[in-house]
Amino acid sequence: MAEQPLALAPVVESTPPAPRRVRTIRRPIPGRGAVRLIPLALLLALGFLVPVMLPQSPSAQDLSARLTPPVWFGGSWEHPLGTDGLGRDLLARIAIGARSSLIVSAVAATGAALIGVIAGIAAGMIGGIVDRAITMLVETLLAVPFITIGLMITATIGQSMTSLLILLIATGWITHARILRLQARSLIHAGFVEAARSYGASRTWIALRHIAPNLAPAAIVVLFQQMGSMLLWSASLTYLGIGLPIDHVTLGGIVREGQELIYTAWWVSVFGGLSIALAVAGFNLCADWLRHRLDPTLR
Amino acid sequence: MQRRLHGFTLDRRRLLLASGAVGLAPVSRIAAQATPDAEVMDELVIDLSGPPDHLTPALTYSVRDWSILHSIYDSLLDFGPEGDLVPLAAEEFSTDDAMTFRVRLREGMTFHDGSPVTTSAITRSVRHIQDAESQISDLYSVITEVREIDDLNAEIVTSEPSPWLPAQIAVWGVLFPESATDESLATAPVGSGPYIFESWEAGSAITLRRNPDYFADSPKGTALAERVVFRFVPEAATRVADLATGAAHIIAEVPADQIDAVESSGHVALSAPILGTAFVRIATGVEPFDDPRVNRALNHAVDVQAIADALVGEGANRLASVFPDPRGLGFDESLEPFTYDPDRARELLAEAGFEDGFDAEFEMVAGSRSDVVESIVAYFGDVGVRVSIVSSELAAFNQGWPDDSAPPLRYATWRPFYDPQSFLGLVIHRDGFLSRYENPVAAELIDDGSVAPSAEERAAIYHELGRELQENPAAIYLWNLVSTYGVNRDVTGWRPRGDEYIIPVRPPVAEGA
């Protein structure tokens, strides 16, 4: 999985305060505040409120109403975003697709974070053969293209939610592991860790009480960035036909269906694509907001 | 009735008797010459929906692969525009008892490697299919001998009456020279047809060039272009864009929704009914499909005509059983299709003990008509049958036909259907190579139909089989296939064929047409 560029949350105790000039440059970033949470809030509303409010079922077909355009292009409020090739309501499908995409990316990103954090701390703190083994595994996985791993997993265990989650977790933990390993390595020589060690604290106690809390800000920021990229990846895989089976309503699936209809019903893939863009922007802006909230040098 | 057609004598009554198509197929009258304005283009590009894995004749099962195959090879026989069989490499093809088929080859034909086409090619062709692990090998096993009387005369001898054999020969029995090897058959075919194989860019294109020695009065037609490129373009929207921009001259499988896009780009959309049938095969050996009431319920549950009208296009009609078209043997106009009646479907399910429905899996080929499958599945949902869709690659899908562990429902199409024996013997007969249909009555009728001496008797048996297939459905019977092509406005003389092959030739003009 491609890694996102990431500004790391610094170690709380060991980082000197950033120069004042840098802080004044960062301060005027537009929309720095909670405004950045609006796209994610919209997405959550789309995924969890719209399906409850809409009378239309996302799977109810009406072949006599197929390819109805959106309301602003000659359609009606019955189908505000129009209908797809089987006359199913596009808004209802996008809402359900957004919900399933949100759940998939949240579960996969959390799973990847758990594995990545443990692997990163273990590699950074224990060092030696454990570090070399984890580093080698990370580098090997980085060398294999994501799509190749996707094809291998799909060919072995077939198309399903499980195989998609396995793929996303198996490739997603690497990002956490690499970043947290470096941070953990720098922390083990920090004064407060040395102090804890000097009064006889065990390695586990140090990991849980000193290292992990200091890594939490970085892990949380990476987690949210990964939700965005995992949503994009799962949509891409489904678009390519190796993600979720076609009877799961997904944003990638909606774009794929719309592609065949692009000359006659542009709205299917356009609205499907826009909702993916909204989701990815939502997660990235949220990660950005969290980074500013959690990083004392950026406050 | 002896008719003299462009220089050869054809015993049409006997030939059609053998084909089983007599009485149902209007006689096509083929003129001696191709269209007078027959100019040959420099290059013609055809967009097909996907690439072949290989071109081994015995192991080729799809229309898009046959399009390439039958551009390079000729069989002894070919299908005429009305479903009748016409001699192609054969000058005469006749039989008295459907057990000995007399063949006289055209004189002077050569393969693309320069060697003459002789009767030994018939022996090679039969052996190739019998020895391959082909779906058709079983049917070909009735051939006990090919007697090569001389270079041009031979007899194909079968162990039992096989009136359906000529139609199979037209599809599978292509002739190739002695120099052919398994390797060359798969990747660099040499035939005697209108085009010579030139090159194959794996996954993207196959290029052919015109065979200058091809006989001018071929009933298949004359070459449209000096060079033909078959390209493989899976997305329909991309094929339509190729046609609009001039990158392709003929495109396959234009969805009904994109006919307007083809026409608005100034080109021609040609729709033609194909002798083929669409169906959802039901594996009747597993619960709950071992109860015919469930299978009748599924047939009532789906508004097949609404799907046909919305997604397939004009001319696609709900079928009463598997027989698709009056041009093919076995079609029974008096047999009414199932009605769309979800209440009746729920009643039948309740009678069978499934008032709450049931769960099942439904298999389809990845990348094929997922809209059709999703629509059918939605109708199932309306009567409480919860179905999950499994997409399989074409090769895995084909291997899964007889597999007892594969999903019990599968969406498939079958063509050509000029003679139903290959479909019935393989898919419907309980001992068929691809079958998961347990019905001894149907099997007996198929056995009887395969050896009945006259087409009338065969038709009567198949009509009875049609009624049996309604009582104990082997499938959800969908519609006769309709194929739509996009054709560049400057390409003249190309016509869709009833077997759906896209062969880049200008067929002879039927008299009076």
Side-chain angles (χ1 to χ4, degrees):
Chain A
M1 182 174 295
E3 277 189 52
Q4 302 278 326
L6 177 77
L8 296 178
V11 177
V12 179
E13 278 85 349
S14 62
T15 308
R20 192 171 184 79
R21 198 163 53 85
V22 175
R23 289 168 62 190
T24 51
I25 290 170
R26 295 191 183 207
R27 223 180 249 289
I29 292 174
R32 183 183 152 197
V35 175
R36 275 174 285 186
L37 297 181
I38 289 176
L40 189 62
L42 282 175
L43 190 71
L44 289 168
L46 179 67
F48 293 94
L49 286 181
V50 171
V52 184
M53 291 157 59
L54 268 190
Q56 291 91 345
S57 152
S59 56
Q61 67 173 344
D62 175 5
L63 292 172
S64 62
R66 60 193 301 267
L67 307 182
T68 305
V71 63
W72 314 278
F73 296 91
S76 72
W77 281 105
E78 194 185 348
H79 302 293
L81 297 186
T83 61
D84 70 0
L86 299 181
R88 297 173 297 197
D89 184 68
L90 189 57
L91 177 60
R93 289 183 72 72
I94 286 178
I96 289 289
R99 183 164 72 184
S100 91
S101 301
L102 280 168
I103 293 172
V104 166
S105 48
V107 171
T110 309
L114 283 175
I115 297 173
V117 167
I118 293 169
I121 293 178
M125 280 190 67
I126 301 170
I129 190 163
V130 175
D131 186 20
R132 283 202 297 279
I134 290 175
T135 308
M136 189 183 287
L137 183 59
V138 164
E139 282 171 1
T140 310
L141 281 172
L142 277 176
V144 185
F146 177 71
I147 294 285
T148 311
I149 302 176
L151 285 170
M152 279 159 50
I153 290 178
T154 310
T156 319
I157 55 176
Q159 273 183 305
S160 66
M161 181 71 87
T162 315
S163 59
L164 180 63
L165 288 174
I166 291 175
L167 170 65
L168 292 173
I169 293 172
T171 51
W173 68 274
I174 298 171
T175 313
H176 284 276
R178 291 179 81 204
I179 291 165
L180 300 186
R181 171 184 166 272
L182 284 175
Q183 294 219 327
R185 276 175 75 91
S186 67
L187 278 173
I188 53 173
H189 300 299
F192 61 97
V193 175
E194 294 287 355
R197 203 175 285 136
S198 70
Y199 58 77
S202 73
R203 199 183 259 176
T204 315
W205 198 86
I206 294 174
L208 289 176
R209 298 299 299 269
H210 287 297
I211 308 284
N214 275 291
L215 299 183
I220 290 170
V221 172
V222 176
L223 173 76
F224 272 83
Q225 283 190 335
Q226 282 219 315
M227 284 189 198
S229 55
M230 282 183 173
L231 190 142
L232 192 58
W233 275 111
S234 59
S236 310
L237 288 171
T238 308
Y239 174 79
L240 292 172
I242 53 175
L244 289 173
I246 56 169
D247 44 3
H248 283 66
V249 185
T250 59
L251 297 178
I254 291 170
V255 175
R256 186 190 55 211
E257 284 160 24
Q259 187 198 346
E260 290 288 305
L261 303 164
I262 195 77
Y263 288 114
T264 41
W266 53 267
W267 49 90
V268 181
S269 47
V270 166
F271 288 124
L274 282 177
S275 51
I276 294 174
L278 175 74
V280 176
F283 280 122
N284 284 344
L285 287 170
C286 180
D288 197 37
W289 177 78
L290 279 169
R291 192 167 61 88
H292 280 79
R293 298 285 300 170
L294 298 173
D295 182 349
T297 62
L298 296 176
R299 269 190 208 134
Chain B
M1 181 178 82
Q2 298 266 314
R3 294 182 64 221
R4 203 166 170 77
L5 291 175
H6 47 107
F8 61 76
T9 306
L10 164 66
D11 184 338
R12 178 170 289 280
R13 179 188 292 272
R14 285 179 182 168
L15 172 67
L16 290 179
L17 178 82
S19 80
V22 73
L24 293 165
V27 175
S28 87
R29 296 161 64 82
I30 296 167
Q33 296 299 319
T35 39
D37 59 340
E39 58 181 55
V40 178
M41 301 166 67
D42 288 337
E43 185 174 83
L44 182 86
V45 179
I46 299 171
D47 275 6
L48 300 179
S49 63
D53 290 331
H54 56 75
L55 287 172
T56 303
L59 303 176
T60 297
Y61 308 118
S62 75
V63 165
R64 68 186 190 210
D65 298 357
W66 280 323
S67 296
I68 302 165
L69 210 71
H70 285 279
S71 298
I72 298 168
Y73 293 109
D74 275 353
S75 297
L76 291 173
L77 302 164
D78 194 17
F79 294 112
E82 298 299 337
D84 47 339
L85 280 165
V86 292
L88 182 59
E91 189 169 53
E92 246 183 83
F93 191 100
S94 60
T95 184
D96 296 321
D97 55 5
M99 286 184 69
T100 303
F101 298 88
R102 288 181 298 278
V103 182
R104 190 150 73 82
L105 292 174
R106 280 169 197 274
E107 251 182 284
M109 279 190 308
T110 55
F111 288 112
H112 302 154
D113 66 357
S115 61
V117 179
T118 63
T119 47
S120 64
I122 304 172
T123 310
R124 274 196 296 278
S125 168
V126 169
R127 281 210 189 121
H128 167 65
I129 291 163
Q130 286 180 336
D131 294 348
E133 289 198 3
S134 165
Q135 293 178 2
I136 209 76
S137 302
D138 259 10
L139 290 177
Y140 255 62
S141 66
V142 297
I143 301 177
T144 51
E145 191 188 356
V146 178
R147 284 188 205 127
E148 295 175 25
I149 296 164
D150 56 36
D151 277 358
L152 295 180
N153 290 286
E155 287 176 348
I156 300 171
V157 184
T158 61
S159 56
E160 59 184 40
S162 309
W164 42 268
L165 185 63
Q168 313 310 323
I169 288 176
V171 180
W172 306 87
V174 297
L175 304 180
F176 50 84
E178 200 174 357
S179 61
T181 61
D182 286 350
E183 176 70 22
S184 75
L185 284 169
T187 58
V190 175
S192 59
Y195 287 93
I196 301 172
F197 174 83
E198 193 170 280
S199 64
W200 187 340
E201 254 180 84
S204 62
I206 287 178
T207 305
L208 314 178
R209 65 187 153 84
R210 188 172 76 88
N211 174 8
D213 302 323
Y214 193 60
F215 57 108
D217 56 353
S218 164
K220 191 183 262 180
T222 54
L224 273 172
E226 288 296 339
R227 236 168 84 88
V228 167
V229 183
F230 282 99
R231 298 196 317 175
F232 312 119
V233 184
E235 297 83 22
T238 314
R239 292 196 294 275
V240 171
D242 280 352
L243 182 72
T245 57
H249 299 93
I250 300 175
I251 60 170
E253 298 173 47
V254 177
D257 289 326
Q258 301 198 19
I259 291 176
D260 284 349
V262 167
E263 287 173 346
S264 65
S265 68
H267 299 296
V268 184
L270 283 178
S271 287
I274 300 304
L275 265 114
T277 189
F279 56 98
V280 177
R281 196 278 296 272
I282 303 171
T284 61
V286 293
E287 276 193 339
F289 306 106
D290 52 351
D291 187 331
R293 287 172 297 190
V294 169
N295 304 334
R296 289 203 296 274
L298 294 182
N299 271 285
H300 281 299
V302 182
D303 191 351
V304 173
Q305 192 59 53
I307 303 178
D309 291 342
L311 304 179
V312 185
E314 218 172 299
N317 297 309
R318 181 166 194 166
L319 297 177
S321 76
V322 294
F323 302 96
D325 190 307
R327 289 176 293 172
L329 189 67
F331 184 80
D332 183 358
E333 281 178 52
S334 66
L335 191 62
E336 287 292 323
F338 281 95
T339 50
Y340 169 53
D341 189 346
D343 293 333
R344 178 75 188 128
R346 282 186 210 100
E347 265 172 43
L348 283 165
L349 286 172
E351 278 175 34
F354 295 101
E355 47 281 291
D356 298 326
F358 55 85
D359 296 290
E361 284 193 324
F362 189 142
E363 191 175 16
M364 61 172 283
V365 178
S368 65
R369 293 299 298 265
S370 58
D371 52 349
V372 166
V373 173
E374 283 188 80
S375 183
I376 293 170
V377 167
Y379 279 112
F380 285 162
D382 293 344
V383 298
V385 177
R386 298 165 297 276
V387 170
S388 53
I389 301 171
V390 179
S391 308
S392 305
E393 292 304 318
L394 181 61
F397 182 87
N398 278 335
Q399 278 176 1
W401 277 97
D403 182 354
D404 285 336
S405 62
L409 301 169
R410 54 168 44 203
Y411 169 70
T413 57
W414 190 282
R415 84 280 273 172
F417 224 98
Y418 290 109
D419 190 293
Q421 177 60 22
S422 59
F423 177 78
L424 299 176
L426 289 167
V427 181
I428 304 295
H429 195 292
R430 62 194 296 190
D431 300 330
F433 188 59
L434 308 178
S435 175
R436 286 177 73 187
Y437 179 54
E438 282 299 323
N439 184 341
V441 178
E444 206 179 316
L445 287 168
I446 294 167
D447 288 338
D448 293 348
S450 72
V451 295
S454 78
E456 288 81 0
E457 283 172 80
R458 292 186 72 201
I461 292 168
Y462 291 145
H463 290 175
E464 197 181 333
L465 177 64
R467 291 189 290 276
E468 174 62 26
L469 290 177
Q470 274 214 337
E471 196 57 30
N472 291 297
I476 298 159
Y477 310 114
L478 300 178
W479 44 76
N480 56 304
L481 301 180
V482 174
S483 201
T484 303
Y485 311 83
V487 184
N488 183 293
R489 58 180 170 267
D490 297 330
V491 174
T492 54
W494 182 82
R495 279 205 308 263
R497 293 169 54 102
D499 48 24
E500 211 179 352
Y501 309 160
I502 301 183
I503 303 181
V505 291
R506 190 176 276 118
V509 179
E511 277 174 23

